[in-house]
Amino acid sequence: MWLTDGRQSLLVEGERIARVEAGRRGRRFAALTPGLQDAHAHPLLWGRALRGLDLFGRSRPEEVAEEVAKRAFGLPPGAWVEGQGFLFPAPPPPGLLDRAAPENPVFLRSRDHHAAWINRRAAERAGLGPKTPAPEGGSFLRDGDGVPYYLLERAQELLFPHLPPPSPEDLARGLKDFARRGYTAVHAMGYEPPEALDWALGMELPVRLWWALPRGAWQGRRPGRYGEVHLAGVKFFADGALGSRTAWMHAPYPDGTFGTPLDPLEAIREEGEAALRAGFTLAVHAIGTRAVEGVLGVFRELAPLARERGLLLRLEHVQHVRDEALPLFAGLPLALSLQPLHLLQDQALVRAYGLPAREAFRFRSLWATGLPVAFGSDAPVAPPEYAWNLEAATRHPLAPEEGLDPGEVLLAHTLGAARAAGWEDGGRLAPGHRADLTLWEEGRPAGRVYRGNLELF
């Protein structure tokens, strides 16, 4: 089958591009590009978010409580109210959710998923009370009676066993939405329960998957390609996130804290070495300046082993980088996975916290390292909107000199993402490469070609 956008024509045979020519006739589209990839997402959680309350852009607790009250009004007593997406400049006051949903347990996650707001019903369901200690790597805010109502980092996990369980249908819903938006591949970043991998292996997939398992959940698994699923990585968390003030920083937040280190660096090195020896690469979440530099130090120790195994390490987010840290990237077997669209919301936090603007979202400086740069959304932290990444990366509101051009943004979603995944046959319009193509109409992704079959979403 020949496809053309008037500038180039592709002959697609089966799963591969057989020829690339100019001037050929074929099925016509406004534009054809290599398939877009979301290089950092959580497709199961995105599928769950699509069925819960959408609180994206909400910055006032009172507004969120109103949405909860509306949802609870139509539910039987005892049914859960779930949602995600709020981003508050300060923690919410206690009591609001108790008044909004007195008969229903409520569990709401912040936009960055590093904090959760619950009501008394939810606390009772999980057995949380005045004497409940915060778990390692997490903390609580408590109401006037000492009952936890705002959960930071790993304190959220105390609720997970009591929530409606995730399902294969949630994963399928999330993946279909990525395909509908023009993505041909998603890098699933290890925040899903381990059984989600088995669900993916057992379903017909609308996109290709690069999969990372959570720290501690990879033993007994064998890395490799299983059809359209590439089991490849182990995910670690060096710190939290900016919105929850848990990104691990050198400069203090206004309250004098410096954020929260999560997985200890030595633990990342020790388990990371074992995972590398087993054939997995490492994908490490690092947002704050101190987390980024700490992980770079670990990666420098592990670099010889990664090279020996032919693996490319991954640094996820890389959101705040000091000038003195830029030379530390040189020479590492490393891909940088960034989510520019978070800048659109986090710019206000950078200003409010008094953090150095030049250290935030350093797209140009990181591009200049020569390392592969891959872009994603971190859905459900934000919707997987290519246009938002394009806007944020090309119109940097904090440091315009750190902006990229539109062609570089496309490269980061195609060739850069393919290199980060270790997919040497992806990300290019070239003979022998996979026929994963994104179709464009009026400047927006409109559909995709996959295995040589035209599918529109």
Side-chain angles (χ1 to χ4, degrees):
M1 174 175 59
W2 281 97
L3 305 171
T4 185
D5 60 9
R7 295 175 294 109
Q8 57 192 342
S9 300
L10 311 178
L11 176 61
V12 175
E13 294 181 349
E15 295 187 0
R16 303 282 169 175
I17 298 172
R19 294 167 63 183
V20 180
E21 297 182 5
R24 279 267 190 176
R25 292 183 178 180
R27 189 160 185 177
R28 183 68 179 261
F29 297 96
L32 296 170
T33 67
L36 294 178
Q37 299 184 34
D38 190 307
H40 185 118
H42 307 281
L44 173 60
L45 296 180
W46 178 235
R48 293 189 72 182
L50 290 172
R51 64 174 171 83
L53 278 176
D54 180 7
L55 304 174
F56 190 81
R58 301 289 187 178
S59 60
R60 294 179 57 247
E62 294 78 11
E63 291 179 322
V64 172
E66 289 176 8
E67 294 297 320
V68 168
K70 292 176 185 176
R71 177 63 62 92
F73 182 76
L75 295 176
W80 279 93
V81 176
E82 295 183 78
Q84 66 92 33
F86 69 82
L87 188 63
F88 301 147
L96 272 180
L97 293 185
D98 299 321
R99 295 189 290 273
E103 301 298 328
N104 297 87
V106 179
F107 180 79
L108 308 176
R109 302 191 81 174
S110 62
R111 180 174 65 84
D112 56 27
H113 275 223
H114 288 261
W117 187 17
I118 65 173
N119 67 352
R120 277 286 185 97
R121 289 286 185 185
E124 292 168 0
R125 190 74 66 90
L128 304 184
K131 296 182 179 180
T132 304
E136 183 178 355
S139 60
F140 299 135
L141 294 183
R142 301 175 186 266
D143 64 20
D145 295 323
V147 178
Y149 80 96
Y150 199 66
L151 317 180
L152 293 168
E153 298 300 341
R154 288 178 174 155
Q156 301 174 76
E157 297 173 8
L158 298 176
L159 269 290
F160 292 172
H162 307 279
L163 296 170
S167 68
E169 291 74 25
D170 292 327
L171 178 60
R173 183 185 305 109
L175 293 175
K176 185 174 181 180
D177 186 73
F178 279 102
R180 181 183 62 82
R181 295 170 186 265
Y183 291 96
T184 65
V186 174
H187 301 192
M189 276 297 153
Y191 208 52
E192 287 82 3
E195 59 267 26
L197 172 60
D198 298 309
W199 299 340
L201 292 171
M203 66 176 60
E204 185 174 349
L205 296 172
V207 296
R208 302 188 197 278
L209 287 174
W210 185 97
W211 200 278
L213 287 166
R215 174 194 175 194
W218 57 272
Q219 292 88 347
R221 298 276 193 171
R222 298 184 64 179
R225 300 197 186 201
Y226 300 86
E228 303 308 327
V229 179
H230 183 189
L231 176 56
V234 177
K235 177 72 178 298
F236 297 84
F237 284 85
D239 68 343
L242 193 65
S244 303
R245 301 178 188 84
T246 53
W248 193 21
M249 294 290 197
H250 286 91
Y253 294 100
D255 61 3
T257 61
F258 291 86
T260 305
L262 296 179
D263 295 330
L265 294 176
E266 182 58 24
I268 296 174
R269 191 199 65 76
E270 290 183 0
E271 188 174 339
E273 179 178 350
L276 286 168
R277 293 192 184 281
F280 290 94
T281 191
L282 314 182
V284 183
H285 166 122
I287 287 182
T289 57
R290 188 168 291 184
V292 168
E293 291 176 35
V295 175
L296 287 174
V298 171
F299 280 177
R300 192 157 297 279
E301 292 184 56
L302 296 176
L305 179 58
R307 291 192 187 94
E308 176 187 314
R309 298 302 170 109
L311 296 170
L312 201 61
L313 303 168
R314 293 182 57 138
L315 193 57
E316 305 295 324
H317 305 302
V318 209
Q319 189 166 308
H320 299 267
V321 181
R322 298 192 302 170
D323 288 340
E324 51 264 51
L326 291 172
L328 302 178
F329 292 88
L332 291 175
L334 178 62
L336 306 175
S337 174
L338 288 73
Q339 301 79 44
L341 73 177
H342 297 331
L343 171 58
L344 302 177
Q345 298 291 321
D346 284 0
Q347 59 174 308
L349 296 176
V350 172
R351 296 187 180 103
Y353 297 159
L355 299 173
R358 71 178 185 282
E359 295 179 357
F361 296 90
R362 305 193 71 165
F363 309 131
R364 176 59 62 193
S365 295
L366 293 174
W367 192 277
T369 65
L371 299 174
V373 174
F375 282 173
S377 66
D378 205 11
V381 173
E385 279 289 340
Y386 177 85
W388 292 8
N389 266 350
L390 180 65
E391 177 186 352
T394 58
R395 301 177 181 178
H396 199 303
L398 293 174
E401 69 276 9
E402 289 288 349
L404 301 176
D405 65 48
E408 290 167 328
V409 175
L410 180 62
L411 278 174
H413 270 287
T414 53
L415 182 59
R419 292 177 66 190
W423 295 344
E424 298 300 325
D425 59 352
R428 294 180 186 271
L429 301 182
H433 281 237
R434 288 187 179 272
D436 291 357
L437 310 176
T438 294
L439 318 178
W440 297 74
E441 294 177 0
E442 298 179 354
R444 295 180 59 83
R448 64 192 191 91
V449 172
Y450 184 56
R451 290 183 174 173
N453 298 315
L454 183 64
E455 301 178 12
L456 297 177
F457 291 85

